[in-house]
């Protein structure tokens, strides 16, 4: 079984128990985007949210969902347990689950916001174990029961680019606005119409596009052309699975509107405003 297919199976296995547990007024969806603010758009493998949070035009979730679930891959494990977890925490997502695939069997890590606004590990549930959770709704979690289903045969999957996703949801293939200046954050509307293709997942973190997949120096060159003036960072050695992040470019140095000082000697300088009079003799008044 390919990792992509295993990932799909694990996500789909969570859908039924989560859907049965969620109360009225809540909804769950897979691979949907959460519009956390104008500069941050995250795509969770599974998300639970209030019905009124769903944007009917795009299908995106507005604001922090009640629960975000990520199933790790070789490309996403580090951000899922690190930087992306920090983003969910900062935007106040109450519950965050990670299905960690580092071993032969999945392990479920449950994080919940504590009173200080930081995530605390509520549970770590491995194969053969179970736990009862109360947030965002009462549910009994038993990994070997949830993830026991295996596919009969692999199904081909074509990754949809963020451009295609946005166009499909909006019902249009229009081209979005130009990118902002290289040191300014990229907002969602402009981001949703741009490169790349072939990414495992694409997100926007604080105005910085983040692409999951296998990237090398050639991809960096393409990204530099697609996002001129910005800094392209591989978050792992070239050729390994992980993320590539597009950072703002350096702010341009302000133009020096004033001319430099004129040095007369080691002891004396003349300010630019005195250039025209420096070294000149005073002209006498012809009538004086």
């Amino acid at each position: 079984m390919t990792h992509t297919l295993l990932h799909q199976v694990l996500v789909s296995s969570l859908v039924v128990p989560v859907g049965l547990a969620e109360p009225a007024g809540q909804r769950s969806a897979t691979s949907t985007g959460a519009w956390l603010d104008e500069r941050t758009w995250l795509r969770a493998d599974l998300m639970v949210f209030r019905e009124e949070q769903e944007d009917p035009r795009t299908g995106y979730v507005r604001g922090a969902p009640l629960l975000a679930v990520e199933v790790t891959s070789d490309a996403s494990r580090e951000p899922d347990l690190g930087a992306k977890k920090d983003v969910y925490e900062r935007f106040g997502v109450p519950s965050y689950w990670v299905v960690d695939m580092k071993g032969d069997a999945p392990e479920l890590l449950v994080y919940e916001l504590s009173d200080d606004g930081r995530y605390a590990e509520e549970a770590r549930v491995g194969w053969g174990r179970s736990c009862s959770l109360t947030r965002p709704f009462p549910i009994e979690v038993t990994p070997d029961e949830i993830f026991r289903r295996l596919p009969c045969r692999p199904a081909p999957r074509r990754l949809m680019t963020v451009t295609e996703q946005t166009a499909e949801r909006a019902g249009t293939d229009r081209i979005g606005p130009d990118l902002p200046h290289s040191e300014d954050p990229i907002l969602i509307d402009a981001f949703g119409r741009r490169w790349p293709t072939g990414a495992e997942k694409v997100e926007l973190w604080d105005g910085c596009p983040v692409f999951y997949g296998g990237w090398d120096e050639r991809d960096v060159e393409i990204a530099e052309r697609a996002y001129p003036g910005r800094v392209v960072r591989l978050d792992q050695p070239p050729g390994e699975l992980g993320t590539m992040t597009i950072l703002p470019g350096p702010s341009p140095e302000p133009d020096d509107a004033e001319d430099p000082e004129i040095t007369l000697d080691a002891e004396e300088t003349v300010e630019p405003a005195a250039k025209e009079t420096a070294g000149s003799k005073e002209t006498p008044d012809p009538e004086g």
Side-chain angles (χ1 to χ4, degrees), residues 211-259:
F211 309 130
Y212 296 73
W215 314 108
D216 57 24
E217 295 90 341
R218 294 168 298 178
D219 298 296
V220 171
E221 292 176 1
I222 296 172
E224 288 173 342
R225 292 195 298 269
Y227 295 93
R230 296 180 182 268
V231 176
V232 180
R233 185 187 72 196
L234 286 182
D235 301 317
Q236 63 287 316
E240 294 186 10
L241 292 172
T243 54
M244 179 169 59
T245 304
I246 312 298
L247 301 167
S251 299
E253 295 183 2
D255 294 335
D256 190 357
E258 297 182 353
D259 294 327

Side-chain angles (χ1 to χ4, degrees), residues 27-73:
R27 290 195 55 195
S28 57
T30 60
S31 298
T32 193
W35 192 322
L36 299 177
D37 70 7
E38 284 298 315
R39 304 194 303 177
T40 303
W41 181 88
L42 300 185
R43 227 178 112 202
D45 291 318
L46 177 63
M47 194 179 295
V48 177
F49 49 91
R50 298 184 301 276
E51 288 182 346
E52 63 268 22
Q53 288 183 271
E54 186 174 19
D55 186 325
R57 186 180 67 87
T58 64
Y60 297 151
V61 173
R62 295 276 185 166
L66 302 172
L67 167 66
V69 183
E70 300 288 358
V71 178
T72 66
S73 67

Side-chain angles (χ1 to χ4, degrees), residues 18 21-23 26 48 65-69 88-89 92-97 108-123 131-141:
V18 168
E22 65 190 30
Q26 295 182 11
V48 177
L66 302 172
L67 167 66
V69 183
Y88 280 131
E89 177 186 84
V93 177
S95 299
Y96 177 50
W97 299 357
L108 178 65
L109 284 68
V110 177
Y111 299 95
E112 294 183 355
L113 283 181
S114 56
D115 292 339
D116 63 359
R118 304 295 301 274
Y119 276 139
E121 186 178 296
E122 182 71 18
C131 76
S132 297
L133 303 174
T134 59
R135 297 171 62 185
F137 38 66
I139 185 172
E140 183 79 15
V141 177

Side-chain angles (χ1 to χ4, degrees), residues 83-280:
K84 188 172 183 180
K85 172 173 164 279
D86 293 342
V87 176
Y88 280 131
E89 177 186 84
R90 179 157 51 87
F91 280 95
V93 177
S95 299
Y96 177 50
W97 299 357
V98 178
V99 181
D100 192 4
M101 291 302 300
K102 66 178 180 179
D104 295 333
E107 181 180 46
L108 178 65
L109 284 68
V110 177
Y111 299 95
E112 294 183 355
L113 283 181
S114 56
D115 292 339
D116 63 359
R118 304 295 301 274
Y119 276 139
E121 186 178 296
E122 182 71 18
R124 183 181 290 260
V125 192
W127 211 253
R129 299 177 56 197
S130 66
C131 76
S132 297
L133 303 174
T134 59
R135 297 171 62 185
F137 38 66
I139 185 172
E140 183 79 15
V141 177
T142 307
D144 49 349
E145 289 293 323
I146 294 175
F147 302 121
R148 64 184 176 181
R149 182 170 61 89
L150 295 177
C152 299
R153 60 183 180 183
R157 179 190 181 201
R158 184 180 73 86
L159 290 174
M160 183 178 290
T161 69
V162 69
T163 302
E164 292 172 323
Q165 293 165 11
T166 307
E168 181 182 69
R169 291 182 184 274
T172 177
D173 58 356
R174 70 175 179 85
I175 301 300
D178 290 338
L179 289 175
H181 201 279
S182 60
E183 73 269 14
D184 293 332
I186 297 174
L187 302 185
I188 291 173
D189 195 33
F191 168 63
R193 316 289 174 175
R194 294 280 173 165
W195 180 89
T197 59
E200 177 182 305
K201 184 184 287 188
V202 181
E203 296 176 326
L204 190 66
W205 296 11
D206 294 320
C208 298
V210 179
F211 309 130
Y212 296 73
W215 314 108
D216 57 24
E217 295 90 341
R218 294 168 298 178
D219 298 296
V220 171
E221 292 176 1
I222 296 172
E224 288 173 342
R225 292 195 298 269
Y227 295 93
R230 296 180 182 268
V231 176
V232 180
R233 185 187 72 196
L234 286 182
D235 301 317
Q236 63 287 316
E240 294 186 10
L241 292 172
T243 54
M244 179 169 59
T245 304
I246 312 298
L247 301 167
S251 299
E253 295 183 2
D255 294 335
D256 190 357
E258 297 182 353
D259 294 327
E261 295 180 345
I262 300 173
T263 302
L264 298 181
D265 54 44
E267 300 293 330
E268 182 181 7
T269 61
V270 177
E271 294 296 328
K275 281 184 184 180
E276 296 181 359
T277 59
S280 63

